[in-house]
């Protein structure tokens, strides 16, 4: 029975404003203070000019007030600049952390519905763009307050002067509206093109060996960079929007200034206003036409909204549901699957019963694995072996059926309590951490130095690690590793974090015969202490397991000891390719003679057979 997921939390972008309220309030106050100082300065300047023109004593108080207002405006603007940078950085870090945590807490099948390259772009560039929204909004107060306050100041000085400015205001508002809409559209298209490039680049990096072997580097280079033309078009479109807005503003704003000054000069000529009033009106007109400075803030807000829309699907991912239970203390790792089924797609449209629809990956799997025993999972490519390995370790929830560990359904367990009980090793393991020791120690808990070295010995990784420049302290960037060495580090990490369930998903495929023999022996030493599930392609791995699960097209073809299944010729055919390859290698060695290149493989084969 599938558990009902908890309702998704509100978007992290919407909660950003409440994350650092003090800093945003300080930014708001600095922006407001700077705007108020800028609005008070023309009035003080006009009053001081009237005092100077009147022929009386020097208005020192007015001059000092103008100087103080200038210093206050400068100080507030400097504070706003510092707060904008620091608060934006903190909000970006928080949004990245929250989004990444949401992705990691979700079921991988849901989280990885977004292509890897696009996911990387969203977690880096998009979070930076989205996090600027609260900062830009708080700092935009000055951009709104200045022109509105300036218009009020014009009305206070002379309504006719203010009316002259308002004649051109509708054109300015229409300009800003068009700019905002076009900027948002261009920004969204630009971000989509970036995501395509990031996704293709990630694909190429993952398949770099295949590309190199096929000598298709030039073609792959063109495929990755093909969207650059579209990206350039969107970039030019963005700058075209900016350029048109700037050009129209450069034409409209001076005309408004000239109109205000012309009306103000006529009013001065008639004696309706004084010289100081004209000076103040000119300053207020300059601030009022400064409404064009809003284009930058509006553009930033448009980009933030476009980026936030790409983050919302990640921030609303459902976490893995559970009932808060934990594994049975001291359980042996008894594993049971009851009618487990997994489909590739979602649920059938219009199916009110919630029955899964799509390509079946696993169907009706019934299986019991006694605690402390080993299970080899075999089958042809595409038979569902890796899906089975993901289901039994809850990297993937089944669409039907139940998986139980020591009698407790995996879906009922808190993932934080379940994860330390399950160790995984993969064919192509990720290697997080700075040094080799960090990589092996990485896991549900940080393994100590003794556990790291014991895990490395069990995985036969201690030999090549000892040859590195600084041993276990060697940075990974200074440790060129082969595919087999990477696998051994992944195995060492699994051995260093022992749990009641150990799952190897094709984690022995890159090992030579002797190394595989030693690793299998380390696995056998865990008999009775942990249950081992081994996705096997080699005959030797299946032969050493307590029981074998034979999958075919996602269904259980047979289970039992390897010796019993070997009587079935179709079971033997699963390993025929490997057997043929081994025979071909033996024939090649015989033709080559007892040269130096074959002496070591033969010695290793003899050692394995002897043991």
């Amino acid at each position: 029975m599938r558990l009902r997921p908890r309702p998704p939390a509100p978007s992290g972008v919407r909660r950003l404003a409440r994350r650092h309220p003090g800093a945003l309030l300080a930014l708001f106050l600095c922006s407001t203070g700077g705007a108020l100082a800028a609005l008070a300065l023309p009035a003080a300047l006009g009053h001081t000019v009237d005092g100077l023109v009147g022929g009386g004593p020097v208005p020192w108080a007015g001059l000092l007030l103008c100087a103080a207002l200038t210093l206050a405006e400068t100080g507030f603007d400097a504070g706003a600049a510092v707060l904008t940078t620091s608060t934006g950085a903190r909000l970006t870090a928080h949004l990245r952390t929250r989004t990444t945590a949401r992705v990691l807490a979700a079921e991988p099948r849901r989280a990885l519905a977004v292509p890897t390259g696009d996911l990387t772009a969203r977690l880096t560039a998009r979070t930076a763009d989205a996090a600027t929204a609260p900062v830009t909004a708080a700092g935009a107060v000055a951009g709104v307050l200045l022109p509105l306050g300036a218009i009020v100041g014009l009305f206070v000085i002379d309504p006719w002067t203010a009316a002259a400015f308002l004649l051109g205001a509708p054109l300015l508002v229409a300009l800003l509206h068009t700019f905002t809409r076009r900027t948002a559209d261009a920004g969204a298209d630009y971000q989509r093109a970036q995501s395509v490039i990031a996704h293709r680049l990630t694909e190429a990096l993952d398949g770099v060996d295949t590309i190199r072997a096929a000598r298709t580097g030039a073609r792959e280079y063109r495929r990755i960079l093909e969207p650059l033309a579209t990206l350039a078009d969107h970039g030019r479109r963005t700058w075209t929007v900016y350029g048109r807005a700037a050009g129209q503003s450069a034409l409209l704003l001076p005309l408004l200034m000239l109109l205000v000054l012309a009306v103000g000069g006529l009013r001065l000529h008639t004696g309706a206003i004084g010289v100081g009033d004209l000076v103040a009106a000119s300053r207020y007109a300059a601030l009022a036409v400064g409404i064009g400075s809003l284009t930058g803030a509006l553009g930033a807000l448009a980009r933030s909204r476009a980026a936030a829309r790409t983050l919302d699907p990640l921030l609303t991912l459902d976490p893995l549901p559970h009932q808060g239970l934990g594994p049975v203390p001291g359980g042996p790792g008894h594993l049971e699957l009851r009618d487990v089924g997994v489909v590739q797609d979602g649920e059938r449209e219009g199916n009110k019963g919630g029955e899964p629809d799509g390509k079946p990956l696993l169907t009706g799997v019934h299986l019991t694995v006694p605690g402390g025993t080993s299970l080899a999972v075999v089958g042809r490519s595409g038979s569902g072996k890796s899906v089975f390995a993901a289901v039994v370790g809850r990297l993937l929830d089944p669409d039907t059926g139940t998986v139980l560990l020591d009698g407790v359904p995996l879906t009922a367990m808190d993932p934080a309590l379940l994860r330390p009980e399950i160790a995984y090793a993969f064919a192509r393991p990720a290697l997080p951490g700075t040094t080799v020791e960090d990589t092996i120690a990485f896991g549900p808990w940080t393994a100590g130095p003794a556990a790291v070295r014991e895990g490395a010995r069990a995985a036969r990784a201690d030999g090549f690690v000892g040859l590195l420049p600084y041993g276990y302290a060697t940075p990974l960037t200074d440790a060129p590793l082969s595919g087999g060495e990477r696998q051994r580090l992944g195995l060492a990490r699994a051995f260093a974090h022992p749990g009641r369930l150990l799952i190897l998903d094709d984690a022995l495929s890159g090992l030579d015969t002797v190394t595989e023999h030693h690793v299998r022996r380390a696995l056998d030493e865990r008999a009775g202490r942990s249950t081992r599930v081994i996705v096997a392609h080699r005959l030797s791995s299946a032969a050493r397991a307590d029981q074998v699960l034979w999958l075919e097209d996602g269904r259980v073809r047979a289970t039992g000891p390897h010796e019993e299944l070997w009587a079935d010729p179709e079971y033997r055919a699963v390993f025929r390719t490997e057997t043929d390859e081994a025979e071909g290698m033996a024939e090649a060695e015989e033709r080559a003679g007892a040269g130096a290149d074959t002496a070591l493989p033969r010695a290793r084969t003899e050692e394995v057979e002897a043991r």
Side-chain angles (χ1 to χ4, degrees):
M1 179 178 179
R2 300 295 295 272
L3 301 177
R4 185 183 299 275
R6 291 178 290 182
S11 169
V13 176
R14 298 170 187 169
R15 299 174 57 186
L16 283 178
R18 291 177 289 175
R19 185 65 186 177
H20 295 288
L24 291 174
L25 177 61
L27 176 58
F28 172 81
L29 293 177
C30 284
S31 300
T32 304
L36 293 177
L39 290 172
L41 182 58
L45 185 61
H47 181 73
T48 303
V49 169
D50 281 339
L52 290 172
V53 173
V58 176
W60 291 109
L63 292 174
L64 291 175
L65 178 60
C66 291
L69 290 173
T70 302
L71 291 176
E73 180 183 1
T74 303
F76 281 128
D77 289 345
V82 172
L83 287 170
T84 296
T85 303
S86 59
T87 306
R90 288 199 295 269
L91 290 178
T92 299
H94 166 72
L95 185 56
R96 284 176 177 165
T97 302
R98 174 172 164 74
T99 308
T100 303
R102 196 76 179 185
V103 170
L104 295 177
E107 186 187 49
R109 181 169 50 168
R110 311 300 179 199
L112 296 181
V114 179
T116 305
D118 188 13
L119 180 62
T120 302
R122 296 189 193 193
L123 293 176
T124 53
R126 303 294 177 273
T127 50
D129 289 336
T132 62
V135 175
T136 303
V141 173
V144 176
L145 187 58
L146 280 175
L148 294 181
I151 294 173
V152 172
L154 285 175
F155 269 106
V156 171
I157 293 173
D158 183 56
W160 289 100
T161 307
F165 175 82
L166 292 179
L167 286 176
L171 295 176
L172 192 57
V173 172
L175 172 64
L176 293 176
H177 174 73
T178 303
F179 169 79
T180 304
R181 177 173 52 81
R182 292 179 177 176
T183 299
D185 294 340
D189 293 339
Y190 189 88
Q191 291 172 355
R192 281 191 289 270
Q194 279 184 320
S195 297
V196 172
I197 295 176
H199 174 56
R200 293 184 179 182
L201 178 60
T202 303
E203 284 183 331
L205 292 176
D206 288 341
V208 63
D209 292 336
T210 303
I211 295 171
R212 186 184 295 114
R215 299 180 181 271
T216 57
R219 186 171 62 189
E220 194 66 19
Y221 177 83
R222 291 192 297 270
R223 187 183 76 90
I224 295 171
L225 298 185
E226 182 268 333
L228 275 181
T230 303
L231 189 70
D233 291 340
H234 295 320
R236 283 192 292 269
R237 183 170 140 214
T238 300
W239 286 112
T240 299
V241 172
Y242 273 103
R244 288 178 178 175
Q248 292 168 352
S249 299
L251 177 63
L252 179 60
L253 300 184
L255 290 177
L256 285 176
M257 279 290 296
L258 288 175
L259 182 59
V260 169
L261 291 176
V263 174
L266 291 175
R267 298 289 287 170
L268 175 64
H269 179 71
T270 60
I273 60 175
V275 175
D277 293 332
L278 181 60
V279 172
S282 65
R283 293 289 302 168
Y284 279 130
L287 294 176
V289 298
I291 194 172
S293 63
L294 279 175
T295 55
L298 292 175
L301 286 173
R303 289 192 301 272
S304 297
R305 290 183 60 187
R309 283 193 291 269
T310 67
L311 294 179
D312 280 341
L314 303 180
L315 291 167
T316 54
L317 283 171
D318 290 331
L320 280 173
H322 62 86
Q323 296 177 349
L325 302 181
V328 175
H334 183 85
L335 191 63
E336 185 178 357
L337 289 84
R338 300 176 180 172
D339 194 27
V340 169
V342 178
V343 295
Q344 189 172 39
D345 300 321
E347 296 183 352
R348 185 181 295 117
E349 295 182 5
N351 181 6
K352 297 181 180 180
E355 296 180 2
D357 187 24
K359 179 183 178 181
L361 303 179
L362 288 179
T363 304
V365 177
H366 290 273
L367 183 68
T368 298
V369 184
T373 63
S374 60
L375 172 73
V377 186
V378 304
R380 300 182 186 276
S381 297
S383 60
K385 300 186 297 296
S386 292
V387 177
F388 178 88
V391 166
V392 297
R394 212 194 176 188
L395 294 184
L396 181 68
D397 280 344
D399 293 288
T400 60
T402 307
V403 182
L404 300 96
L405 181 62
D406 291 323
V408 182
L410 296 186
T411 52
M413 296 190 203
D414 186 340
L417 301 176
L418 173 64
R419 194 53 52 203
E421 300 293 336
I422 302 175
Y424 262 100
F426 300 96
R428 299 177 62 187
L431 300 180
T434 304
T435 65
V436 172
E437 183 165 0
D438 292 340
T439 294
I440 301 176
F442 185 87
W445 69 91
T446 301
V452 167
R453 282 150 182 78
E454 179 60 31
R457 282 192 291 270
R460 301 291 287 181
D462 55 337
F464 75 83
V465 171
L467 298 176
L468 295 175
Y470 305 103
Y472 287 92
T474 303
L476 287 176
T477 54
D478 297 336
L481 302 174
S482 66
E485 289 168 343
R486 293 180 67 90
Q487 277 193 357
R488 278 183 273 175
L489 289 183
L491 286 165
R493 183 170 58 208
F495 283 129
H497 298 85
R500 68 183 71 186
L501 184 59
L502 174 60
I503 303 172
L504 307 185
D505 186 1
D506 201 20
L508 306 178
S509 59
L511 306 184
D512 60 78
T513 306
V514 175
T515 302
E516 182 192 5
H517 168 75
H518 286 284
V519 172
R520 286 203 311 264
R521 190 168 62 179
L523 291 171
D524 293 341
E525 292 174 356
R526 293 179 174 270
R529 294 185 290 127
S530 66
T531 303
R532 290 138 292 149
V533 177
I534 305 167
V535 174
H537 292 275
R538 292 181 178 178
L539 180 63
S540 54
S541 297
R544 295 177 69 99
D546 295 316
Q547 66 172 318
V548 175
L549 170 64
W550 178 13
L551 291 176
E552 188 173 280
D553 296 329
R555 296 180 179 272
V556 178
R557 175 69 183 269
T559 59
H562 171 74
E563 294 79 6
E564 295 181 3
L565 297 179
W566 189 251
D568 189 333
E570 294 189 21
Y571 177 77
R572 295 197 300 270
V574 173
F575 304 97
R576 182 172 299 157
T577 301
E578 178 191 354
T579 305
D580 293 342
E581 289 178 355
E583 292 176 352
M585 291 177 61
E587 292 175 359
E589 290 181 5
E590 291 178 359
R591 288 193 300 267
D597 293 339
T598 61
L600 183 58
R602 283 177 176 165
R604 288 175 174 173
T605 302
E606 292 171 357
E607 178 184 353
V608 173
E609 292 175 350
R611 299 195 180 194

